[in-house]
Amino acid sequence: MNLINEFKDPALCRHILEQIQAEARTPFRVMEVCGTHTVAIFQSGIKSLLPENLTHISGPGCPVCVTSDQEVGAFLNLAGKNLLLATFGDLMRVPGPGGHSLKAAQAEGARIQVVYSAFDALQLALSNPRDKVVFLAVGFETTAPTVAATLKIAREQSVSNFFVLSMHKLVPPALAALAADRDIQVNGLLLPGHVSAIIGVEPYSFLSREFNISGVITGFEPLDMLQSILILLRLSKQKQPKVVNNYKRVVADQGNPRALAVMQEVFIPGDALWRGLGNIPVSGLKLRKEYNQFDAWQVFDPKAPDIQMPPGCKCGQVLKGQILPHECPLFRVGCTPASPVGPCMVSTEGSCAAFFKYSL
Amino acid sequence: MCLAIPMEITFIEGNVAQVEIGGVKNRVRLDIIDESPVVGDFVIVHAGFALRRINREEGLETLKLFQEGLGLELNK
Ligand code: SF4
């Protein structure tokens, strides 16, 4: 039996949908906070099958989208410093000050290489010993351990031309900020499966304990997502908020201790600035002082200009689930994936891009 | 960006594994996976690293719960 296909089984999905339809008697707002969920909900067709009472909103779950203007300004500043930048492809077209982007900088002669992993960026440094290679590190707890492991290797091998600009962000503090915001009405959360594979269940327990919100750790197949929505509806009906692990085949309750240890060895939590959510205490990761020589913030001191969102872009409100993408006046008019105004339209996992692609 | 996909391990050499899914092959690092995988295991791969081994028993258990919860006949 192929486990992957089983979790797509149409007959099972239909059964769960029927139960969701039966349970969703009153309006219910489900937020997911993972770009992969955003895309999977559209791609699988689930979005169009959900009953009207059930509103699905995408929260701040796309690392590219939540990267702040200051951070975008900072890495664009690095692009002007005669360095070799290594980045995930998603960042290439994110517009910064004046609509400038890495892609534009590249066309103007900056050396920027798209890589698939932090480790590839380290390899790039090793094969270009005369260059200073800076890896632009965005991502949540899923990605941070891969960067930490790479930095550990770089330190063990005394690599002197490899640097990391850490813009990592942590999911639970952002959820806490969202939950505390009274303007945001969310009845239940689909929690990100692969972030949870690293951090486990406990870091979310405050949701039910302090805010009476249920959260279900969810995988990415249709069956996973439907089942989790059904669990949320039932928990709400029973008025028993809880955090549930519904992705046990990948998420151990204690997470991945080895990855957490590497992350802790290399990074220390610090404040971070999120697009839409603003500054959130201890919601980011900085390099520990033992890793100072690899810290691109310290070594190159990129200017992080105090700039504003592209005029008219409502990414911030989209990321908080306050408006849906098509409620932005620029959606599809001035802002499309081919010519994006804000990062939520750039990243394939951004909710504006997902709305554009799947709800035409 | 956080996309992480299940891939099957076909070969392991030290800290690096050869993985494959649907004909797509890749090399991934094993520095942060918490249980040492063996050839034939499925692992969740993200940004060049294996994050976790997929627990087949838990997967089957979840499916069983789905089916039982729905009053369906368990037929596999
Ligand atoms: S549609 Fe474009 S301008 Fe509007 S919020 Fe989304 S990214 Fe910003």
Side-chain angles (χ1 to χ4, degrees), chain A residues 312-315 318 325 328 330-331 335 341-345 352:
Chain A
C313 176
K314 302 212 181 300
C315 249
V318 171
C328 165
L330 293 181
F331 182 77
C335 181
V341 175
C344 304
M345 189 61 95
C352 296

Side-chain angles (χ1 to χ4, degrees), chain A residues 1 3-4 6-7 9 12 15-16 19 36 61 63-64 88 90 116-119 138-140 142-143 145-146 149-150 153 194 197-198 223-224 227 246-252 255-259 262 349, chain B residues 1-7 15-16 21 26-36 42 44-60 62-63 65-67 69-72 75-76:
Chain A
M1 170 155 100
L3 261 189
I4 296 166
E6 281 318 300
F7 280 87
D9 188 281
L12 273 178
H15 274 92
I16 298 181
Q19 307 212 357
T36 313
V64 174
F88 292 131
D90 310 50
Y116 167 65
S117 80
F119 190 75
V138 294
F140 297 137
T142 323
T143 316
T146 70
T150 302
I153 298 168
H194 295 138
I198 304 296
L223 208 49
D224 290 314
Q227 172 82 353
N246 190 35
Y247 192 30
K248 288 205 166 146
R249 64 189 185 281
V250 171
V251 177
N256 176 340
R258 187 176 180 202
V262 178
E349 296 184 343
Chain B
M1 211 218 98
C2 295
L3 191 65
I5 37 176
M7 297 184 90
N15 247 338
V16 177
I21 188 93
N26 224 326
R27 283 161 64 81
V28 295
R29 298 207 46 103
L30 302 174
D31 305 73
I32 56 171
I33 193 163
D34 52 340
E35 309 161 279
S36 303
F42 275 80
I44 296 283
V45 170
H46 171 67
F49 286 76
L51 295 187
R52 272 195 65 83
R53 191 175 74 87
I54 298 182
N55 188 322
R56 200 179 145 78
E57 291 67 44
E58 287 286 4
L60 291 174
T62 308
L63 279 174
L65 289 177
F66 277 143
Q67 290 167 320
L70 295 168
L72 298 179
N75 54 7
K76 281 150 197 141

